Amino acid sequence: MKKLIPQNIREIHYKEKVLNMSRFFSNKEVELLAPAGNFEIFKNIINSGADAVYFGGKKLNMRMHRKDYNFTNDEVIDAISLAHSLDKKVYVTVNNLFSQQDLKDAREFLVFLEKAQPDALIIQDLSILELINELGLSLNLHSSVMMNVHNLETIKAIRELGVTRIVASRDIDLKTIYALHKQSDMEFEYFTHGDMCVAHGAQCLYSASLFGKSSNRGLCMKPCRWNFTIKKDGFIYPTEYPLAVKDMYMYEHLPEMIEAGIVSFKIEGRMRSSDYLVNLINFYSDAINRYIDDPICYDRKKDAQSIYEGRKRDLSTGYAFGKPGLSNINRRYEGTGKFYSTGKVFSKPIEEIEISSKRIHEIKRTLHNEVSPTQETILSVKVNSYEQAKLALEEEVDAIYLSGETFEPSLPFSKKEILNLTKNKKSSKIYLSLPRMMYEEDFSTYSHLLNQNDLGIDGLLVTNLGAINRFKGLGLELIGDYCLNVYNHQSAKFYKNQGLSSATLSVEAPLLDTKDTITKSPLPIEVIVHGAPVMMYLEHDLYANTTNLSPIGREDNCYVDNSTLVLVDDKGYEHPVYRDNKGRNHLIPYKNLCYLPFLKELMALGVKSFRIEGSHYGIDALRNILQTYKIALNDLAKCNELYESLVPTHAGFTLGALQFD
């Protein structure tokens, strides 16, 4: 690899000292935002061409793998002081989902940050808004990319809540950002360079389920970087690393980012070395200055070759100019699974943990409550097709969620089908489930459908804050789906204040956090007790591999129909992936969740609503599961007996995150 000449570094550094660090183009501010993993790296970064630096404290952020990284409170104070002496800004990441212990730590840390006065906090868990209000603090807030802000309604909602900047979703393009920028006064931050995730922000839950280490809590074990082959229709495809995306690279497209209305150009890399980052920052800083100085004769490629030669992975513009397809998948140095700066391996494929009698006993003991479970219960089910919905009505299921993202080959629920179902619902309630990703056209179509027609539905299963903001005035019951990541009781309180009647518990919540959230939540909590919640939600279409690659062999799928694509890891475990009506991909666990043995304990804690995540089941399998849980909820003494007789429909049963304390 060709090394940058030290003299060149000094020249660029000198230019940064000469130029005022407040940069503007056509009266639009342009900020280069750099990462720092620890204080030693920060001291080098702050003297580079960056206008602002972001980092995390020792807790509560999205980079928690290494104890020698992140900042002590004293270092936070010193870093802010040093940055401000140079007229530069500091943003502190308080951007993971909060456990119950984190809520206690967050109170203390927020009070400290109020005194330290960083220029902003970068946040994910909306419970932080409740804490700030309770503590009477005044802190500038930016929404993390993990908040997955991608539509105008969400921007309006978080603007009203005091958020001044969003880190835009990785999966929206510059045209969309331009349109959103024109319709709001929100500042936009956009990833410009560095490591990217294949899944939508905060919508990858597999690491927590497999390892008890949440990707939304800074501990992702990166199952997306495993070696997978693909099977579909009885054929095997040589895909190697089909979920491993390339690093973001927007160096040659800075003018387009400026024109889209992006204020802050964000470099990812809080686990990168100082030397790597300083070189990269100075290249980008020099490019911004050159464009501001002379946009007509601006050379986009001046240092592109040096950046390319110093890359860690191959490079891509991601979704900036539309869906990149298979061109976004990395082939360079993938499969090492190593931390950037150590020889440690993130993870290797493991089996989803089978339910054991020992763990069932431990869960029962932990959840035990002396209160007798006598309250009325609700059995709910999410269905994928009209046939499944009719079955749920026949079985008199209490609540039926009609999926807003139906898996192929099923078609979306038509108006006629919805009316037929609601006409015959009897004592059942029917809810229309919304897509996880909702763009402006989605709000337009759903608003038209809901405002112009009396569909007879009882409510909506909502998936994002924007949808709550848009539809809470319709008089329909609003239930929060699990993709809202309600992980603690303060988050539940936030959503209650937004108008939800109940919310589904995050499927990432381990045992102790599950108990604490249920018992302390002011909002009724629904728990998914059976089925296959989506573990990775992808804009990326894995099915494209089957049309772009030639098969290398024949082999049937073990547990799902051959028409369903499966990712096969190095140990032979098959991870099913379903494609929905809009081409998005939904990866589910190969073992299904089953909480049947401890329904009594959950009910005694106060859980009223028990949900079957049933979109992937055939009719006969779904009928059996619904009937089993109806019997169990009517006679809790039969739970163990029913569990012993329940035949697995897939590779077996697992507890997911409840396997962990």
Side-chain angles (χ1 to χ4, degrees), residues 99-101 208-214 217 353 358-367 487 508-517 598 655-661:
S99 67
Q100 307 309 317
Q101 180 58 49
S209 179
L210 289 168
F211 300 100
K213 296 180 181 294
S214 167
R217 290 176 40 75
I353 301 172
K358 177 183 178 183
R359 186 57 182 171
I360 290 173
H361 177 72
E362 291 170 347
I363 290 174
K364 287 185 174 185
R365 185 180 63 215
T366 301
L367 297 180
Y487 198 94
E508 287 196 308
L511 180 59
L512 296 178
D513 288 306
T514 290
K515 180 178 181 179
D516 204 272
T517 301
F598 41 88
L655 297 170
L658 276 194
Q659 184 63 46
F660 309 98
D661 289 332

Side-chain angles (χ1 to χ4, degrees), residues 4-14 275 278-279 282:
L4 186 67
I5 302 171
Q7 179 63 31
N8 192 13
I9 295 178
R10 288 197 293 271
E11 288 174 356
I12 295 175
H13 180 71
Y14 173 76
D275 289 344
V278 168
N279 286 349
N282 286 338

Side-chain angles (χ1 to χ4, degrees), residues 195-214:
D195 190 7
M196 295 288 104
C197 295
V198 69
H200 282 282
Q203 301 304 314
C204 182
L205 315 176
Y206 220 177
S207 181
S209 179
L210 289 168
F211 300 100
K213 296 180 181 294
S214 167

Side-chain angles (χ1 to χ4, degrees), residues 341-359:
S341 49
T342 76
K344 295 181 180 179
V345 174
F346 275 105
S347 68
K348 294 180 180 179
I350 62 169
E351 183 178 7
E352 288 174 1
I353 301 172
E354 192 80 31
I355 299 177
S356 67
S357 57
K358 177 183 178 183
R359 186 57 182 171

Side-chain angles (χ1 to χ4, degrees), residues 74 120 145 215 247-248 288 432 488 659:
D74 286 343
V145 69
S215 60
D247 279 2
M248 190 67 166
I288 292 170
L432 191 59
N488 59 65
Q659 184 63 46

Side-chain angles (χ1 to χ4, degrees), residues 119-399:
D119 296 278
L121 310 188
I122 303 174
I123 66 169
Q124 173 188 184
D125 194 325
L126 290 167
S127 65
I128 202 169
L129 298 175
E130 293 295 321
L131 295 177
I132 287 173
N133 288 335
E134 287 180 13
L135 295 167
L137 305 179
S138 178
L139 290 160
N140 189 26
L141 302 176
H142 296 172
S143 74
S144 167
V145 69
M146 303 304 288
M147 208 181 283
N148 202 21
V149 178
H150 58 275
N151 58 60
L152 184 61
E153 290 296 334
T154 302
I155 292 173
K156 289 178 180 178
I158 62 174
R159 189 76 176 94
E160 292 175 4
L161 292 165
V163 174
T164 61
R165 178 189 291 184
I166 66 166
V167 185
S169 167
R170 290 178 292 251
D171 305 274
I172 60 176
D173 58 34
L174 295 182
K175 286 184 178 179
T176 301
I177 289 177
Y178 178 79
L180 294 173
H181 171 66
K182 286 294 184 181
Q183 297 174 79
S184 72
D185 61 351
M186 182 65 75
E187 290 185 358
F188 282 82
E189 186 172 303
Y190 195 75
F191 277 103
T192 307
H193 197 102
D195 190 7
M196 295 288 104
C197 295
V198 69
H200 282 282
Q203 301 304 314
C204 182
L205 315 176
Y206 220 177
S207 181
S209 179
L210 289 168
F211 300 100
K213 296 180 181 294
S214 167
S215 60
N216 294 312
R217 290 176 40 75
L219 292 168
C220 185
M221 299 302 288
K222 295 187 178 290
C224 59
R225 301 286 173 181
W226 292 348
N227 181 15
F228 295 102
T229 54
I230 278 178
K231 288 199 302 184
K232 186 180 182 296
D233 297 324
F235 293 104
I236 304 171
Y237 296 88
T239 43
E240 294 185 353
Y241 303 98
L243 293 173
V245 295
K246 294 176 179 177
D247 279 2
M248 190 67 166
Y249 170 78
M250 292 296 289
Y251 177 79
E252 297 178 40
H253 303 284
L254 301 182
E256 287 79 8
M257 292 179 68
I258 292 172
E259 291 304 316
I262 293 166
V263 168
S264 183
F265 294 28
K266 185 171 192 171
I267 294 174
E268 185 282 331
R270 280 197 285 147
M271 300 298 289
R272 300 290 191 187
S273 69
S274 177
D275 289 344
Y276 171 84
L277 287 171
V278 168
N279 286 349
L280 188 65
I281 292 163
N282 286 338
F283 284 139
Y284 271 89
S285 179
D286 176 65
I288 292 170
N289 286 338
R290 287 189 290 106
Y291 182 65
I292 291 172
D293 181 58
D294 187 356
I296 302 299
C297 295
Y298 171 64
D299 181 2
R300 294 173 181 262
K301 294 184 176 292
K302 177 176 178 286
D303 291 304
Q305 186 62 30
S306 294
I307 294 174
Y308 179 79
E309 290 172 354
R311 73 197 187 282
K312 300 299 181 182
R313 295 188 180 98
D314 278 335
L315 305 172
S316 167
T317 55
Y319 285 78
F321 301 101
K323 289 188 179 182
L326 297 182
S327 67
N328 199 34
I329 298 304
N330 184 57
R331 294 287 183 268
R332 184 176 191 263
Y333 297 153
E334 207 53 75
T336 62
K338 293 181 179 178
F339 291 145
Y340 300 138
S341 49
T342 76
K344 295 181 180 179
V345 174
F346 275 105
S347 68
K348 294 180 180 179
I350 62 169
E351 183 178 7
E352 288 174 1
I353 301 172
E354 192 80 31
I355 299 177
S356 67
S357 57
K358 177 183 178 183
R359 186 57 182 171
I360 290 173
H361 177 72
E362 291 170 347
I363 290 174
K364 287 185 174 185
R365 185 180 63 215
T366 301
L367 297 180
H368 179 71
N369 192 317
E370 295 299 332
V371 176
S372 178
T374 57
Q375 79 267 28
E376 181 183 350
T377 60
I378 295 170
L379 179 63
S380 64
V381 61
K382 189 174 185 181
V383 296
N384 185 66
S385 67
Y386 184 57
E387 290 71 25
Q388 283 187 329
K390 288 194 297 182
L391 168 65
L393 285 179
E394 291 170 11
E395 295 297 332
E396 298 180 333
V397 175
D398 301 303

